[in-house]
């Protein structure tokens, strides 16, 4: 056995979670863009790992500075901003061959011209670029939704450990994480695309009479692809936020579906995706 039996494996590096707030100052009212930006770069980085020669390393501090400097020019959408950053890191740095930029955008609803209240739910994007092709994934995270009826779960496989009662009427609640892949990274109206995809997701959740969260997941993804031609694939991760009917009989009270215990863990975690037939190859999209 010699040292040569051990090789450097895959690696990447970057600045995680640069928190950036931009205020667009119009005469009468302000707009707020509140972001969490993470950059990850990969390329000819063997030297720094093997010998500590940093000549090819664009410091993570520089990556953070670039995020702030580019923000001075405005942020029309997180997708366009991430594309600009990813292309810059690869095209301007000889040793860097791949970049991934992930951005989370916190939403602020307007209260007055210069006043806002933070909304729940996060808009997300992950952009990758390898010097030739860019991929754009957009999405939402922690979008909490609930149906108080219209959900059933029965007919499942049971074995000697199964105690779950069948139900024909339960609460269905989840915190949606969804990521949808654009067929092309060519410039588009990213904001309209995002707004409409998110609307279709939520409407499908509300409209679907659910026999399982798996069925609801599929309906949500399918609805988005049916309505948004620019999208090729949707992946969803749905925690089943269980609501258990509380047994009030010890207190000589009935409970006709009114009082629930909202458990926070453990939770079922239902994950899956839908993809359009003939969709372009994902390339680095899910890297
Ligand atoms: O919608 C559901 N899917 C499951 O797979 C499952 N498993 C479980 O215990 N409850 C539920 N609900």
């Amino acid at each position: 056995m010699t040292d040569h039996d051990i090789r450097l494996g895959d690696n990447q590096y970057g600045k995680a979670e640069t928190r950036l707030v931009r205020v667009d100052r119009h005469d009468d009212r302000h707009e707020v863009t509140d972001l969490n930006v993470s950059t990850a770069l990969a390329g000819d980085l063997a030297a720094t790992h093997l010998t500590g020669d940093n000549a090819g390393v664009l410091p993570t501090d520089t990556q953070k500075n670039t995020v702030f400097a580019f923000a001075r020019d405005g942020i029309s959408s997180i997708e366009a901003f991430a594309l600009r950053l990813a292309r810059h890191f690869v095209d301007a740095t000889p040793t860097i061959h791949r970049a991934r930029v992930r951005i989370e955008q916190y939403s602020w609803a307007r209260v007055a011209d210069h006043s806002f209240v933070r909304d729940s739910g996060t808009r997300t994007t992950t952009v990758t670029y390898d010097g030739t092709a860019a991929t754009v994934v957009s999405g939402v995270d922690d979008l909490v939704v609930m149906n108080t009826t219209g959900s059933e779960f029965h007919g499942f496989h049971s074995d000697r450990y199964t105690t779950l009662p069948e139900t024909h009427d339960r609460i269905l609640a989840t915190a949606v994480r969804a990521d949808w892949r654009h067929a092309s990274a060519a410039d588009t109206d990213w904001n309209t695309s995002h707004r409409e995809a998110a609307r279709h997701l939520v409407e499908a959740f509300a409209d679907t009479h659910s026999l399982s969260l798996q069925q609801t997941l599929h309906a949500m993804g399918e609805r988005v692809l049916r309505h948004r031609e620019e999208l090729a694939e949707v992946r969803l991760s749905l925690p089943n936020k269980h609501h258990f009917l509380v047994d009030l009989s010890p207190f000589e009270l009935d409970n006709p579906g009114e009082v629930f215990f909202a458990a926070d863990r453990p939770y079922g975690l239902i994950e899956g995706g839908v993809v359009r037939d003939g969709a372009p190859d994902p390339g680095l999209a899910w890297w």
Side-chain angles (χ1 to χ4, degrees):
M1 194 92 109
T2 69
D3 282 357
H4 297 106
D5 297 330
I6 296 170
R7 287 184 294 108
L8 177 66
D10 287 345
N11 58 85
Q12 60 183 36
Y13 79 108
K15 191 67 99 189
E17 305 209 42
T18 297
R19 291 282 288 109
L20 156 67
V21 173
R22 184 187 153 87
V23 179
D24 280 272
R25 296 172 174 272
H26 309 300
D27 287 344
D28 52 341
R29 50 166 39 194
H30 290 176
E31 310 281 346
V32 168
T33 307
D34 182 355
L35 306 184
N36 190 28
V37 183
S38 297
T39 58
L41 309 182
D44 295 333
L45 295 159
T48 186
H49 290 91
L50 301 181
T51 69
D53 170 356
N54 296 325
V57 177
L58 183 74
T60 69
D61 189 65
T62 308
Q63 298 173 40
K64 176 257 300 169
N65 291 345
T66 310
V67 169
F68 288 124
F70 281 19
R72 180 66 179 86
D73 297 327
I75 301 168
S76 60
S77 68
I78 54 173
E79 289 85 355
F81 190 56
L83 277 164
R84 183 180 172 203
L85 285 162
R87 288 187 170 123
H88 165 79
F89 289 129
V90 174
D91 291 344
T93 320
T95 47
I96 299 304
H97 305 320
R98 268 190 299 171
R100 185 189 63 221
V101 179
R102 160 96 181 162
I103 304 182
E104 292 158 2
Q105 178 170 22
Y106 308 115
S107 76
W108 290 91
R110 182 176 300 286
V111 175
D113 289 342
H114 314 124
S115 303
F116 305 86
V117 59
R118 178 90 171 250
D119 257 355
S120 66
T122 305
R123 173 175 169 179
T124 62
T125 192
T126 304
V127 163
T128 66
Y129 177 64
D130 66 1
T132 316
T135 64
V136 180
V137 172
S138 301
V140 292
D141 200 2
D142 207 22
L143 182 65
V144 182
V145 290
M146 173 190 285
N147 291 329
T148 52
T149 190
S151 169
E152 312 182 28
F153 189 63
H154 46 80
F156 42 81
H157 177 78
S158 69
D159 66 13
R160 60 185 293 229
Y161 302 111
T162 303
T163 59
L164 185 73
E166 301 206 327
T167 176
H168 293 267
D169 189 6
R170 66 174 181 174
I171 287 178
L172 188 66
T174 185
V176 178
R177 174 175 174 155
D179 297 283
W180 46 89
R181 174 165 67 91
H182 294 261
S184 155
D187 206 22
T188 182
D189 182 349
W190 302 109
N191 293 331
T192 300
S193 175
H194 188 276
R195 189 184 62 242
E196 290 300 300
R199 180 172 71 81
H200 287 300
L201 267 186
V202 171
E203 287 183 3
F205 176 83
D207 293 350
T208 302
H209 184 100
S210 177
L211 299 178
S212 66
L213 187 50
Q214 288 88 332
Q215 181 203 20
T216 295
L217 177 151
H218 184 263
M220 293 168 76
E222 185 183 31
R223 179 84 64 101
V224 171
L225 289 191
R226 290 235 179 278
H227 287 87
R228 302 306 307 175
E229 276 194 342
E230 74 277 21
L231 304 180
E233 182 176 0
V234 184
R235 295 186 178 186
L236 293 126
S237 177
L238 302 181
N240 193 353
K241 295 169 83 71
H242 303 299
H243 288 67
F244 297 112
L245 195 68
V246 178
D247 178 10
L248 297 176
S249 62
F251 322 118
E252 290 169 14
L253 296 169
D254 66 354
N255 187 1
E258 292 186 355
V259 180
F260 294 85
F261 166 52
D264 76 334
R265 65 189 74 171
Y267 50 89
L269 184 60
I270 311 301
E271 300 185 287
V274 294
V275 60
R276 196 187 296 286
D277 274 346
D281 188 86
L284 292 172
W286 305 112
W287 168 45

